[in-house]
Amino acid sequence: MASAPRFRALLDLCKRRGFLFPSAEIHGGLRGAYDYGPLGAELKRNIANEWWSYSVYQRSDVVGLDTSIITPHNVLKASGHVDEFTDALVDCLLSKERFRPDKAPKLTVVETPKDGDLDLKIPIMAPDKTIAKQWVTTIAEQLVPGAVVSRHKSDIFLHAERVVEPVEGSNAEGKIFLKRTDPNMQPITISYNGYVAPGSNSPFLTASRPFDLMFKTFLDPIDPIDRVIQTTLSHPPSSTTTVRSAVDTVLRPSMVYLRPETAQGVFINYHNVLRTMKSRPPFGIAQMGKSFRNEIRLEHAIFRTPEFEQLELEYFVPPWESSYWFGYWRQERFAWWLRYANDPARFRTRDHTSDELAHYAQGCMDIEYEFPWGWGEVEGVAHRGDYDLKQHARATGERLDFVDESPGVSESVPAGAIALETVPKMEDGWPVRYVPHVVESSCGLNRSMLAYLFDAFDEVPEETGSRIVMRLHPRLAPVKCAVIPLIPRPELMELVGLVAGSLRRERVNTVVEAQNLKIGKRYYRHDEIGTPWCVTVDFESVKDGKVTIRERDSGEQMRVRWEEVREIIRDRLNTD
């Protein structure tokens, strides 16, 4: 199935079967927001539970934390988010679309021979013919009056003489020279910074300006808008900068943010965990929860949304061991993703180049999945150094170092994995104080769900077309088992209740599928949502106490006593 149809088919299935619903749909919807239906909520919870079990329960060196979503201004000022957490923003003057220039495409120019020369046309693609007519009017009357513009259906063409590309690394800007309707006049020039509006190829853009990625709000019994009005009225007419500064000063004491990441809550609690849990590096703090970013582009359903959930692990290590642990967590996290994958080839790792790294990072690796639209990040593993702890220490005056009475190499580090000359020696003085370095694993739960849905989505050809089988890993599957009476009659329902009850006591999410449909159709309904096992109760079951277990992926069936069902499914869940 081609990329776009495959994406649409998955979204259709998600809405039809209860994985995802557009948020506030009956009120017209909310751009970029989705609600997770009964199956989606279970799938998301199962992924989170697998991550928490792996990160916390299966290790002796990691503990969990749950910190506040509402974050004080001072915390994010210290971390650098207030000053640095912005993206450049550009608007298209035609479509009004807002986008990041660093992700935008270059200009497309169509060259055709004409009278021994080249005729240059810049195509601008409008959504439809009506909008194309409106854009032609805007171009001719407002943006470049007198320029040669033509239209064919929904495509607009700017007729150009030449295009001068901007010179990288210099202040020399690019220019586009457009032909005039009066050939005796000089061409019209417009600025070209090396990119155009995505989707339309429009070069008519605003200047780049910073765009705040954080959601700001206020903890204040007085409406902040009233404070803004009062402050503005109390200042005589002056520059916008002066008024804005006065407004910021008034609002600052009550200003808070919806956290843009869960990590800062871990860093400001590092010392509390160290003290209460008697931890010593290397040790980790895991947290999962919601974060919020005022994204410029919301795209690909739940791939990029303003409200999302993170699964993050901050692992604090002695500085001399940081390179080893960075390599360790790179391997561990990639292996975790492959554990639940049907097609491991669609997962890969990619190291950041030097120009991609955050200013504080000493290294970073992305784990990516090959979505229908291309490779997309689902997790990042970063060597953050000691930047975060030192920033909060400077801002608060708190000592966030670790006092090590007996420094050396951790027992969990293999012999020879660390250069011994980097480890503190006795002559360095005791005790040794150091600020731990941090290796961070940051996974997007929403993206994880989308990746595993695509990984599981399988079209099975049939004589009359095809059907969908969602081959989710059993531990991720929203419904683990469906108990199905051959015919929903009272004489079968008693045994159905016994089988379902035994599974539910094992905390296996089980449903009773008692619709009046053929048994095959009920099997296929559960194949479509990823249910690994179906248990059928028929009239023979009432006589001999045996039921049939059907396995989703192979279609194999086995006849067992109903009391054995619980143990069989429990064992398969624990061994898969």
Side-chain angles (χ1 to χ4, degrees):
M1 182 181 286
S3 295
R6 180 178 172 84
F7 187 26
R8 287 196 296 269
L10 178 63
L11 289 183
D12 175 68
L13 171 69
C14 286
K15 183 177 180 180
R16 176 166 49 84
R17 296 307 306 272
F19 284 93
L20 288 172
F21 303 131
S23 187
E25 186 174 23
I26 64 173
H27 287 279
L30 177 63
R31 189 174 72 94
Y34 284 84
D35 297 331
Y36 292 79
L39 297 182
E42 289 296 324
L43 175 57
K44 190 151 66 83
R45 183 185 296 274
N46 290 343
I47 296 172
N49 287 345
E50 287 296 302
W51 180 86
W52 191 266
S53 174
Y54 157 85
S55 300
V56 180
Y57 296 155
Q58 296 176 33
R59 301 186 65 95
S60 60
D61 57 349
V62 178
V63 296
L65 199 65
D66 185 6
T67 64
S68 174
I69 288 175
I70 297 176
T71 306
H73 176 272
N74 290 347
V75 171
L76 296 173
K77 179 69 173 178
S79 68
H81 284 83
V82 170
D83 297 323
E84 303 291 339
F85 206 58
T86 58
D87 275 339
L89 172 72
V90 172
D91 287 338
C92 174
L93 295 174
L94 291 175
S95 67
K96 311 305 179 186
E97 180 185 13
R98 184 168 291 168
F99 61 91
R100 283 173 52 176
D102 62 324
K103 301 292 185 181
K106 292 182 177 296
L107 179 73
T108 295
V109 179
V110 178
E111 300 179 350
T112 55
K114 184 178 182 182
D115 300 330
D117 206 347
L118 285 178
D119 185 33
L120 304 184
K121 293 180 182 178
I122 298 171
I124 299 177
M125 288 74 75
D128 55 51
K129 187 163 58 176
T130 301
I131 293 178
K133 290 179 179 179
Q134 296 171 359
W135 287 5
V136 168
T137 301
T138 300
I139 293 169
E141 295 181 359
Q142 300 176 26
L143 299 178
V144 281
V148 179
V149 183
S150 60
R151 181 183 65 83
H152 178 68
K153 296 182 178 179
S154 62
D155 291 335
I156 303 165
F157 297 94
L158 302 175
H159 295 255
E161 288 196 355
R162 69 183 189 278
V163 175
V164 178
E165 294 284 341
V167 179
E168 190 173 349
S170 75
N171 293 325
E173 67 173 359
K175 290 188 179 297
I176 298 173
F177 293 79
L178 299 177
K179 292 181 179 179
R180 286 185 181 268
T181 52
D182 183 349
N184 297 317
M185 298 184 67
Q186 291 294 318
I188 299 172
T189 60
I190 60 174
S191 296
Y192 172 55
N193 292 314
Y195 53 83
V196 290
S200 67
N201 195 48
S202 166
F204 298 111
L205 310 173
T206 65
S208 174
R209 60 191 185 279
F211 178 71
D212 192 351
L213 293 177
M214 292 193 294
F215 285 104
K216 185 186 301 182
T217 187
F218 302 89
L219 285 179
D220 195 333
I222 300 176
D223 186 348
I225 300 300
D226 288 341
R227 293 191 186 276
V228 172
I229 294 171
Q230 293 166 11
T231 304
T232 304
L233 293 176
S234 65
H235 281 71
S238 57
S239 70
T240 301
T241 303
T242 302
V243 175
R244 178 59 190 260
S245 177
V247 169
D248 285 344
T249 300
V250 170
L251 295 179
R252 184 64 44 75
S254 62
M255 186 184 299
V256 293
Y257 298 87
L258 301 183
R259 66 185 180 196
E261 62 180 21
T262 65
Q264 297 307 318
V266 172
F267 295 133
I268 60 177
N269 278 285
Y270 149 79
H271 204 268
N272 289 332
V273 174
L274 198 70
R275 173 178 54 83
T276 57
M277 304 305 292
K278 310 302 179 187
S279 303
R280 61 170 291 142
F283 78 97
I285 302 176
Q287 179 172 206
M288 55 188 183
K290 290 198 172 185
S291 296
F292 303 83
R293 294 182 186 178
N294 194 15
E295 294 283 3
I296 296 171
R297 288 181 65 86
L298 305 172
E299 55 188 0
H300 308 312
I302 58 174
F303 181 80
R304 189 185 305 279
T305 57
E307 175 184 339
F308 57 98
E309 290 184 69
Q310 290 181 290
L311 309 172
E312 291 200 310
L313 172 65
E314 310 299 332
Y315 199 73
F316 300 87
V317 302
W320 52 91
E321 295 181 11
S322 59
S323 294
Y324 166 77
W325 287 111
F326 180 44
Y328 170 87
W329 282 110
R330 287 162 57 105
Q331 295 179 7
E332 282 287 306
R333 290 306 305 151
F334 189 52
W336 183 86
W337 281 92
L338 300 186
R339 186 179 306 169
Y340 306 98
N342 288 289
D343 188 357
R346 292 192 177 276
F347 291 86
R348 74 176 185 185
T349 61
R350 185 185 69 84
D351 287 322
H352 282 208
T353 58
S354 58
D355 60 337
E356 288 182 282
L357 288 174
H359 63 90
Y360 54 79
Q362 299 182 28
C364 187
M365 177 198 81
D366 283 346
I367 298 172
E368 298 179 331
Y369 178 75
E370 190 178 18
F371 292 97
W373 55 85
W375 291 97
E377 177 197 350
V378 291
E379 178 169 347
V381 180
H383 185 332
R384 297 180 70 116
D386 57 10
Y387 172 82
D388 299 280
L389 293 181
K390 282 189 173 178
Q391 286 294 103
H392 290 295
R394 290 191 189 101
T396 62
E398 293 286 334
R399 297 201 66 162
L400 298 180
D401 50 11
F402 176 72
V403 180
D404 199 338
E405 300 289 347
S406 54
V409 179
S410 306
E411 293 181 3
S412 51
V413 177
I418 292 173
L420 294 179
E421 61 268 19
T422 64
V423 182
K425 307 294 190 299
M426 180 69 74
E427 55 268 23
D428 294 333
W430 303 95
V432 171
R433 286 183 177 271
Y434 62 82
V435 176
H437 283 205
V438 176
V439 177
E440 176 186 75
S441 157
S442 181
C443 168
L445 179 54
N446 313 67
R447 292 185 180 188
S448 304
M449 175 175 159
L450 191 59
Y452 281 129
L453 282 171
F454 274 118
D455 177 68
F457 190 86
D458 185 22
E459 279 203 314
V460 179
E462 304 237 315
E463 291 182 3
T464 58
S466 63
R467 67 184 182 91
I468 295 170
V469 178
M470 193 66 76
R471 303 189 190 279
L472 289 163
H473 189 285
R475 288 206 295 271
L476 302 186
V479 176
K480 302 293 190 284
C481 183
V483 185
I484 304 176
L486 185 64
I487 299 175
R489 290 185 179 175
E491 57 264 40
L492 300 183
M493 295 307 293
E494 181 179 354
L495 185 53
V496 167
L498 290 174
V499 175
S502 69
L503 289 167
R504 287 167 179 160
R505 284 192 291 274
E506 287 289 330
R507 298 185 180 180
V508 174
N509 190 19
T510 304
V511 300
V512 173
E513 184 66 56
Q515 290 190 353
N516 193 17
L517 297 170
K518 290 182 179 180
I519 190 70
K521 285 190 175 181
R522 283 183 277 172
Y523 284 157
Y524 285 3
R525 279 174 53 82
H526 279 276
D527 288 347
E528 196 174 52
I529 65 171
T531 305
W533 301 285
C534 290
V535 177
T536 304
V537 177
D538 54 30
F539 291 102
E540 288 297 316
S541 304
V542 178
K543 299 176 183 177
D544 61 14
K546 290 185 177 181
V547 295
T548 301
I549 300 179
R550 174 188 179 271
E551 201 272 333
R552 177 197 65 205
D553 293 333
S554 67
E556 293 180 355
Q557 299 185 17
M558 59 185 296
R559 192 82 173 168
V560 300
R561 287 199 57 81
W562 76 266
E563 296 93 342
E564 300 177 70
V565 172
R566 175 179 62 178
E567 184 177 348
I568 290 170
I569 291 181
R570 180 190 62 200
D571 290 347
R572 291 187 180 183
L573 279 172
N574 291 334
T575 57
D576 280 338

